[in-house]
Amino acid sequence: MYRVLLVDDEPNILNALRRSLATIDARKLDGEALHFETFTSPDAAIQRCDEQDFDLVISDYRMPSMNGVEFLSRVMEFQPAVPRMIISGYADREAIIAAVNEVHLTRFLEKPWNDEDLHQAVISILRQAPPRS
Amino acid sequence: MKINKRRIPSPDCPSELSDLQTKLQRLERSESLQRALFAISDLAGSERDMHDMLRGIHAIVGELMYAENFYIVWHDAERDSIRFLYYVDVADPEIPREDVEIPLSAIEHSLTWHLLRGARTMMGNTEQLQKQVSGPLAIWGPHSQDWLGVPMLSDGRARGAIVVQSYDQRGRYSADDRTLLEFVGSHILVALERKRIKQDLEDQVRRRTVELAEANKILQREIAERQRAERLQAALFQIAQLATVDIDQTEFCRRVHAVIGGLINAENFYIALLSEDRASIEFAYFIDKTEQDHPSRPTGAGLSEYVLREGPALLRRTDILELAQRGQIDLETVGPVAACWLGVPLLADEKSIGLIVVQSYEENVVYGPADQELLSFVASQVANSLHRRRSAESLREAYVLLKRRIEDRTRELHARNAELEIAYAKLKNAQEQAVQSEKLASIGQLAAGVAHEINNPIGYVNSNLVTLQGYVSKLLGAIGAYGTVARQGGAEIAAQSEEIRRRIDIDYLAVDVPMLITESRDGIDRVCKIIRDLKDFSRRDRGEAWARVDVHQLLESTLNIVSNQLKYKAGIVKTFADLPLIECLPSELNQVFLNVLMNAGQAIKERGMITVSTGQSGDKIWIAVGDDGEGIPEDVLPRIFDPFFTTKPVGSGTGLGLSISYGIVVKHHGNIEITSVPEQGTLVRIELPIEQPK
């Protein structure tokens, strides 16, 4: 079972992401199921990372308490090797570059996202390694 | 006038007769005396000169008494000297002349001396006379038998005296004689006085006349002097005036010569000027009997240089030769030697700038110190005038130069002004563009904000619709499967199942629900597109690099993209010129071309033509896209670049295309212009610089 951590300050986004990713055929993931954990609070998510290893972390960029890059770098303190994605509508080039360089983003997706692109990205990332937990 | 002589009474006559005779004699005497006095008065008043008068008086006295020896002496009290105005004597050989002045002291103690000193009549013989004087008595000349001397008194003082004397028996003087002589004396005194006064007056007049003549002479001299000075003044004035007259230097010298010629002999005359560097002399004006002309020469050992060195010089021929001998001058340079040579330097600010010279080759024409003084005055004025002329000249030159400079400057300013006007026009244009850009920018910011806000909800709605589609598809599948299963369960179940199907109209739902979702997704797609366009619109930096690109390549690729859209509606005519590569952002230009071509296509309703042409003008290239479509109305044209402004029906565009294109063209420092005629067509002209400004 692949564990995926979803963080966005908007609950509807979280639900949409979860629903969308849930439709991925398990066969595309070598038979592994997908398990999602969603957080609207980055702090709570960070705390969770201390407790649980994940196979993929997907975060928004623009969030009230801290931005996605900060969040991911905090996550890296606990799980330095976990694949990291940012899905964001905030088209700040500088921020994107910073994100890629600082936290070594695996993928960056723009909102509104294309479901097909999203599925492809997630599948290709998860398949690179067996589940950690 | 006949005067009866006195008759000695004869002893023969009776005493009565002698009385009568005596009385007659007395009367006769009185009459003759009276006549004599009248005559004397007459004489005295006559115009005769002194000597004539005295002679006349002597004659008259001689008729009254024995006056063979008779003299009148005059005493000048001031000088204490005497003069014998009249002297006759039979015995004395020494007749003093009447014009000889004898100091009184010279005849001291003489009878005359006593007479004058005593101021009293003296008469008698020597013995008697001795008693009449106080002090010693010296007898000059021969002793007289009888002597009568009468002083001529005025204010108690003896001004002179009359003396008669006799050396023999012939004369014996009586008291009557004395009275007569005294009387005569007073008349003579008056006459003498009068004559004297007249003489004095005449003398005075003569003296005065001489004085006046002298004064007149002096006055004449002064007048001559004054006139000379006036002439000189007039000459100087004339020369001063020449400073301001608009004539050339030669004319100036000629007029100076004319003025000087009126003052002194200037037959041979020249004005020489030193050059600026003082290394050569130029003979600005030269008139001479011996030479026609005189060329300029470097400063050497001529007379001119001598004057410039030493100052004014007034030289005779001998002086010149002496100077040559002493080596001060060189005769070769001097040329023909003048008889008299006068040269005066011209000084300006205490520096000699030249000299002025007159000379004479004739011995009878010479110059003197007065001429030198005159020439000096003239020279100072000439130097002054020259200086002023030179100043005026340099001022004129400076003025001309200044005028030219001003003209140049004015031209420069005009040119600059024109440049400024052009720059201003450009600036205004740029400002307008800037304003437009600002508008776009602020709208862009708004758009960015809005886009971002919309992003999230659109994001998940979109995703949810997809998910929903999946779900619905499964549900419908399940319903279908249930139906199949129900049909297999028996007629009653099948009937019930059929009933449900009909009631809910599953068939309709099966068709419509998917359509609903599809259409909803379409809607969301459009929103996504709008958001993307908005983002494009607001995105400042795509992170693309500037590159040198062949615009034709961009056009061709864009034409490829749109050809599918356009091939049924429009024919495309390409007219490409030879263009250099231009510095640009290729994908952005592509966007512009795409937008413009799409607009052109959309303007054409049924069938038409689209022309694409390019060209170069100066440091810019241009691309023109024309269509023969419906055109743009005049009232719409100004708003064509406004964001969200569109004339297209709802759903076929965001109205951002041209705004974005405008922004891109501005970013390239280019220009985009749209001209259109409704019902006829539209032309879009884009200008881009070949090189981007650094």
Side-chain angles (χ1 to χ4, degrees):
Chain A
M1 178 172 63
Y2 284 117
R3 289 179 179 272
V4 179
L5 178 60
L6 299 170
V7 180
D8 195 309
D9 58 318
E10 196 160 344
N12 287 337
I13 298 275
L14 291 172
N15 290 334
L17 281 170
R18 187 169 47 75
R19 283 200 193 99
S20 178
L21 289 173
T23 63
I24 294 178
D25 198 331
R27 280 174 294 177
K28 297 201 176 142
L29 293 170
D30 298 327
E32 293 291 339
L34 277 174
H35 183 265
F36 300 100
E37 288 191 41
T38 62
F39 291 90
T40 53
S41 154
D43 291 297
I46 288 162
Q47 231 173 344
R48 185 73 185 124
C49 285
D50 193 16
E51 299 159 7
Q52 171 72 55
D53 277 345
F54 291 93
D55 299 291
L56 174 61
V57 175
I58 301 179
S59 166
D60 183 20
Y61 184 80
R62 274 241 279 185
M63 293 184 286
S65 49
M66 72 179 84
N67 71 38
V69 171
E70 287 166 21
F71 166 70
L72 287 177
S73 58
R74 296 276 292 278
V75 166
M76 277 161 73
E77 285 169 25
F78 297 108
Q79 306 176 28
V82 65
R84 303 170 282 279
M85 258 180 77
I86 289 188
I87 303 183
S88 178
Y90 189 63
D92 190 341
R93 188 163 151 266
E94 313 293 323
I96 297 165
I97 292 170
V100 170
N101 292 337
E102 274 176 58
V103 301
H104 305 287
L105 271 190
T106 320
R107 252 334 184 273
F108 182 92
L109 272 185
E110 274 188 75
K111 282 182 194 167
W113 65 87
N114 182 299
D115 271 1
E116 212 31 62
D117 293 339
L118 179 64
H119 291 188
Q120 286 295 342
V122 167
I123 290 167
S124 68
I125 289 170
L126 287 177
R127 282 190 62 179
Q128 284 182 15
R132 284 153 214 254
S133 56
Chain B
M1 184 178 66
K2 214 52 182 118
I3 297 176
N4 289 334
K5 280 218 180 350
R6 201 170 40 152
R7 259 192 299 156
I8 302 167
S10 123
D12 300 328
C13 292
S15 47
E16 252 183 41
L17 194 62
S18 65
D19 265 347
L20 275 168
Q21 272 184 331
T22 313
K23 277 193 189 127
L24 184 66
Q25 275 172 11
R26 276 221 188 99
L27 271 168
E28 283 177 336
R29 265 186 81 79
S30 292
E31 196 190 12
S32 58
L33 184 63
Q34 215 170 19
R35 272 207 285 270
L37 290 176
F38 269 126
I40 291 171
S41 264
D42 249 352
L43 264 178
S46 76
E47 287 298 310
R48 295 200 200 163
D49 73 5
M50 186 75 81
H51 191 85
D52 262 351
M53 180 188 85
L54 293 177
R55 201 153 31 122
I57 291 176
H58 177 217
I60 295 166
V61 168
E63 290 194 3
L64 297 170
M65 65 184 88
Y66 177 68
E68 290 297 307
N69 312 300
F70 172 86
Y71 65 81
I72 302 175
V73 66
W74 183 259
H75 176 232
D76 187 332
E78 264 180 27
R79 301 164 72 86
D80 211 24
S81 63
I82 57 167
R83 269 195 313 138
F84 289 95
L85 294 179
Y86 191 81
Y87 201 104
V88 291
D89 200 299
V90 298
D92 197 338
E94 289 179 18
I95 308 281
R97 287 167 43 126
E98 64 184 57
D99 47 3
V100 171
E101 198 177 345
I102 303 167
L104 192 58
S105 50
I107 56 162
E108 203 176 9
H109 305 309
S110 70
L111 283 166
T112 311
W113 188 80
H114 282 289
L115 188 56
L116 292 171
R117 283 302 211 80
R120 263 196 338 240
T121 306
M122 294 177 357
M123 57 190 290
N125 58 22
T126 310
E127 255 182 80
Q128 289 162 320
L129 288 171
Q130 189 89 44
K131 296 189 189 120
Q132 291 170 43
V133 302
S134 56
L137 175 66
I139 302 292
W140 299 91
H143 284 250
S144 52
Q145 285 279 27
D146 207 358
W147 196 92
L148 169 60
V150 160
M152 295 189 280
L153 298 170
S154 162
D155 291 328
R157 219 176 40 76
R159 303 296 303 278
I162 307 178
V163 170
V164 286
Q165 58 183 325
S166 114
Y167 296 106
D168 53 32
Q169 302 298 331
R170 268 182 286 173
R172 280 280 184 273
Y173 301 109
S174 64
D176 285 341
D177 292 323
R178 169 193 166 147
T179 312
L180 174 68
L181 216 57
E182 281 171 356
F183 206 75
V184 168
S186 67
H187 268 70
I188 289 175
L189 181 65
V190 168
L192 281 177
E193 288 275 85
R194 218 182 300 159
K195 265 282 182 285
R196 252 195 81 75
I197 287 169
K198 204 158 150 212
Q199 200 97 321
D200 273 348
L201 211 65
E202 279 173 7
D203 278 343
Q204 232 178 349
V205 167
R206 200 173 25 253
R207 251 199 322 277
R208 211 76 183 92
T209 309
V210 167
E211 270 174 30
L212 280 172
E214 202 55 48
N216 192 38
K217 233 188 287 181
I218 292 172
L219 207 67
Q220 295 286 21
R221 258 207 304 278
E222 250 183 49
I223 288 172
E225 200 58 45
R226 210 52 83 68
Q227 279 177 336
R228 218 170 72 95
E230 257 177 35
R231 265 207 305 278
L232 179 59
Q233 194 87 341
L236 292 176
F237 183 71
Q238 271 178 296
I239 294 175
Q241 279 209 305
L242 283 176
T244 55
V245 174
D246 188 15
I247 49 175
D248 65 10
Q249 183 158 290
T250 311
E251 180 63 17
F252 170 79
C253 293
R254 201 188 63 75
R255 293 200 194 178
V256 166
H257 182 206
V259 166
I260 292 177
L263 296 170
I264 62 176
N265 181 313
E267 278 185 308
N268 309 297
F269 168 87
Y270 70 78
I271 299 177
L273 300 169
L274 260 186
S275 63
E276 284 280 335
D277 54 6
R278 307 184 78 78
S280 61
I281 296 183
E282 181 215 333
F283 291 87
Y285 185 79
F286 191 92
I287 300 285
D288 195 284
K289 275 211 194 105
T290 63
E291 282 178 274
Q292 270 301 90
D293 208 350
H294 216 95
S296 47
R297 62 160 189 261
T299 45
L303 279 169
S304 308
E305 291 87 335
Y306 176 74
V307 162
L308 288 169
R309 269 201 319 272
E310 307 286 340
L314 173 59
L315 307 164
R316 308 295 293 268
R317 189 193 303 273
T318 44
D319 300 318
I320 298 173
L321 293 173
E322 196 186 318
L323 281 177
Q325 237 186 358
R326 278 197 270 147
Q328 299 254 36
I329 56 167
D330 172 33
L331 280 178
E332 278 248 13
T333 320
V334 168
V337 176
C340 187
W341 192 96
L342 171 58
V344 169
L346 296 167
L347 300 169
D349 292 332
E350 293 175 27
K351 259 199 351 222
S352 54
I353 59 168
L355 73 156
I356 211 171
V357 168
V358 288
Q359 50 185 330
S360 146
Y361 296 100
E362 285 146 38
E363 297 295 337
N364 60 338
V365 175
V366 292
Y367 303 111
D371 296 313
Q372 181 175 333
E373 197 186 348
L374 187 141
L375 199 62
S376 296
F377 275 122
V378 169
S380 77
Q381 195 56 56
V382 169
N384 195 20
S385 294
L386 266 176
H387 188 66
R388 279 174 64 188
R389 282 173 62 86
R390 276 188 190 166
S391 304
E393 186 60 43
S394 53
L395 197 73
R396 248 198 307 273
E397 280 172 15
Y399 172 72
V400 164
L401 200 68
L402 192 70
K403 221 166 83 119
R404 207 171 322 137
R405 290 237 306 261
I406 289 175
E407 281 170 7
D408 285 344
R409 204 80 181 87
T410 310
R411 246 201 313 273
E412 249 181 64
L413 284 171
H414 274 306
R416 196 75 64 74
N417 198 35
E419 275 175 30
L420 282 172
E421 282 190 0
I422 292 172
Y424 177 68
K426 277 193 188 160
L427 203 69
K428 245 176 64 143
N429 200 25
Q431 194 193 28
E432 276 165 5
Q433 288 197 343
V435 165
Q436 188 76 316
S437 296
E438 260 313 296
K439 241 199 294 187
L440 296 180
S442 55
I443 291 174
Q445 271 178 338
L446 183 66
V450 167
H452 177 67
E453 288 304 311
I454 296 176
N455 268 345
N456 271 1
I458 293 299
Y460 66 78
V461 164
N462 193 39
S463 177
N464 287 349
L465 281 175
V466 171
T467 311
L468 185 63
Q469 207 163 33
Y471 291 177
V472 161
S473 156
K474 284 190 185 150
L475 278 173
L476 289 171
I479 290 172
Y482 287 148
T484 313
V485 163
R487 265 199 301 278
Q488 290 173 356
E492 204 183 298
I493 297 172
Q496 272 183 348
S497 154
E498 203 48 46
E499 170 65 32
I500 295 169
R501 273 182 77 99
R502 244 205 325 262
R503 205 162 13 112
I504 297 178
D505 202 354
I506 302 284
D507 293 322
Y508 175 72
L509 286 178
V511 168
D512 208 36
V513 168
M515 263 176 65
L516 268 171
I517 297 177
T518 307
E519 282 164 23
S520 302
R521 282 194 67 192
D522 273 349
I524 297 298
D525 265 346
R526 263 174 56 200
V527 174
C528 283
K529 218 162 134 264
I530 289 170
I531 291 171
R532 249 204 318 283
D533 275 354
L534 276 178
K535 279 215 205 127
D536 279 354
F537 181 76
S538 67
R539 204 164 296 184
R540 263 153 234 260
D541 212 340
R542 277 182 178 269
E544 191 189 9
W546 290 81
R548 273 182 215 285
V549 167
D550 179 6
V551 160
H552 294 143
Q553 274 185 6
L554 298 179
L555 282 168
E556 293 284 14
S557 64
T558 312
L559 281 167
N560 273 337
I561 296 170
V562 304
S563 66
N564 284 328
Q565 302 252 359
L566 300 182
K567 65 187 170 192
Y568 303 111
K569 271 174 122 186
I572 302 190
V573 175
K574 299 187 284 201
T575 322
F576 288 172
D578 250 329
L579 292 184
L581 304 183
I582 67 161
E583 198 180 345
C584 67
L585 297 165
S587 66
E588 290 201 11
L589 281 193
N590 266 335
Q591 213 175 336
V592 172
F593 297 146
L594 184 66
N595 176 241
V596 168
L597 283 165
M598 291 295 286
N599 286 347
Q602 279 157 0
I604 296 172
K605 288 282 155 264
E606 302 282 316
R607 238 202 109 76
M609 184 107 84
I610 295 179
T611 56
V612 182
S613 38
T614 64
Q616 175 178 4
S617 76
D619 56 353
K620 299 201 200 328
I621 61 141
W622 54 264
I623 304 108
V625 174
D627 66 75
D628 55 1
E630 59 185 4
I632 306 166
E634 213 179 294
D635 55 336
V636 167
L637 207 46
R639 306 177 57 193
I640 202 102
F641 290 115
D642 285 355
F644 301 111
F645 179 78
T646 178
T647 55
K648 293 184 194 150
V650 172
S652 55
T654 56
L656 287 173
L658 274 177
S659 312
I660 295 174
S661 301
Y662 184 91
I664 292 171
V665 168
V666 164
K667 199 165 164 195
H668 284 72
H669 298 95
N671 214 16
I672 178 167
E673 229 175 55
I674 301 187
T675 40
S676 180
V677 180
E679 308 300 316
Q680 283 195 20
T682 307
L683 182 71
V684 179
R685 187 188 151 101
I686 300 167
E687 246 180 30
L688 297 167
I690 297 170
E691 291 287 333
Q692 286 297 312
K694 298 295 172 275

